Amino acid sequence: MRAFLVYATLQSRYNIYMIIIGDVHGCLFSLQELLRKVKHFSEPICFVGDLIDRGPHSKQVVDIAMKHDCVKGNHEDLLVHEQEDIFPGSCSRYHIVHMKNGGYETYTSFGGKISDEYMKYFQQLPVYKFYNNIKVDGKPLLVSHSFAGSCSLHDDHSLMWNRWFYINEEIYPNSDVPFFNVFGHTPVDNVLIRNCYAMIDTGCVFKKKLSAVRIVDGMSHKDIEVYDVLHCD
């Protein structure tokens, strides 16, 4: 009995986990396959945004994400701006941009019109989420859509849209940022992990992979586990 209590205490004290999933973009079957791959962990999940657009099943992906944590991606932000534009419909500049970037597939998956319930969900998504109880290399976990280390956390637009860095193996973001940032937004061939970030958009909607990372409180960035599934939509 005593051994069990000690084990339980250690579990509750040290084993705080998070599964973070990259840009899904309406790829429902790929998401379902990835969730099957990580289901045995039964741990909290957070999405990095861009649930919608381009892929065929945005609504069904959103229905899954609504049961978990999620931050706002630039595609959710574009949809919100489109709906709030003073020139609604086909005259909206946001509508034109959205349709060119996968909006048609999103509206089709919602049956042509997105209800107020879903719009409220998109509007209220946070731009980033801090998990102060989960630390990597001693730094608290921060999940955002784009890299947060190059801008202020008050700069909502940059946290969703920033593409300042294109991967160059000779240039990395500043390792002195006070958090460990997991983000997506810019597709890479494989999950890229460095000492202050994990970049996890692996281009699922472009027929590549959907990826997730498993973060454990107290771990080193070198020990982060990566889970991938090939695009199957």
Side-chain angles (χ1 to χ4, degrees):
M1 174 63 77
R2 181 175 178 176
F4 173 79
L5 290 174
V6 170
Y7 174 77
T9 300
L10 289 172
Q11 288 285 93
S12 62
R13 183 176 176 184
Y14 295 107
N15 290 357
I16 304 173
Y17 308 93
M18 177 66 65
I19 302 269
I20 306 160
I21 296 177
D23 303 40
V24 183
H25 280 301
C27 295
L28 174 66
F29 302 144
S30 303
L31 175 58
Q32 289 174 330
E33 187 64 24
L34 183 60
L35 291 174
R36 280 191 286 270
K37 200 167 187 177
V38 301
K39 70 177 181 180
H40 59 284
F41 293 123
S42 65
E43 293 163 7
I45 291 173
C46 184
F47 291 82
V48 300
D50 277 10
L51 306 171
I52 62 171
D53 293 348
R54 297 196 173 113
H57 302 293
S58 288
K59 180 183 182 299
Q60 294 89 333
V61 169
V62 173
D63 287 337
I64 292 172
M66 290 174 80
K67 301 173 185 176
H68 305 282
D69 285 353
C70 184
V71 298
K72 187 185 292 185
N74 63 303
H75 281 260
E76 287 82 32
D77 187 52
L78 181 58
L79 173 62
V80 169
H81 277 87
E82 177 192 2
Q83 293 290 316
E84 294 176 347
D85 200 317
I86 59 172
F87 300 109
S90 60
C91 294
S92 166
R93 56 179 175 152
Y94 294 109
H95 177 79
I96 294 169
V97 174
H98 192 203
M99 290 302 106
K100 289 181 177 179
N101 288 275
Y104 176 80
E105 289 82 357
T106 294
Y107 280 105
T108 299
S109 76
F110 278 90
K113 179 177 173 57
I114 301 175
S115 71
D116 291 345
E117 174 191 0
Y118 286 96
M119 283 310 305
K120 184 176 180 180
Y121 170 74
F122 295 132
Q123 290 165 347
Q124 294 182 347
L125 282 172
V127 176
Y128 66 87
K129 287 188 73 71
F130 250 124
Y131 296 94
N132 286 306
N133 60 335
I134 303 177
K135 292 182 172 62
V136 178
D137 293 326
K139 297 179 178 181
L141 172 65
L142 184 146
V143 179
S144 56
H145 184 61
S146 184
F147 180 59
S150 62
C151 62
S152 165
L153 294 181
H154 300 292
D155 184 354
D156 288 0
H157 185 270
S158 292
L159 288 167
M160 292 180 286
W161 290 87
N162 186 6
R163 290 193 193 273
W164 74 268
F165 86 64
Y166 290 85
I167 298 308
N168 181 329
E169 286 299 322
E170 302 300 321
I171 302 172
Y172 303 133
N174 187 353
S175 62
D176 292 332
V177 294
F179 47 75
F180 184 85
N181 188 195
V182 179
F183 65 99
H185 187 43
T186 301
V188 288
D189 290 335
N190 298 291
V191 169
L192 188 64
I193 299 174
R194 296 292 183 259
N195 63 353
C196 66
Y197 71 85
M199 189 175 187
I200 67 170
D201 178 6
T202 47
C204 182
V205 76
F206 303 115
K207 302 188 183 303
K208 294 183 178 180
K209 296 184 294 188
L210 181 62
S211 299
V213 291
R214 182 173 183 253
I215 306 289
V216 182
D217 177 45
M219 75 184 333
S220 163
H221 71 279
K222 297 177 182 179
D223 299 322
I224 292 174
E225 299 171 8
V226 176
Y227 298 87
D228 299 308
V229 297
L230 294 175
H231 172 272
C232 57
D233 286 79

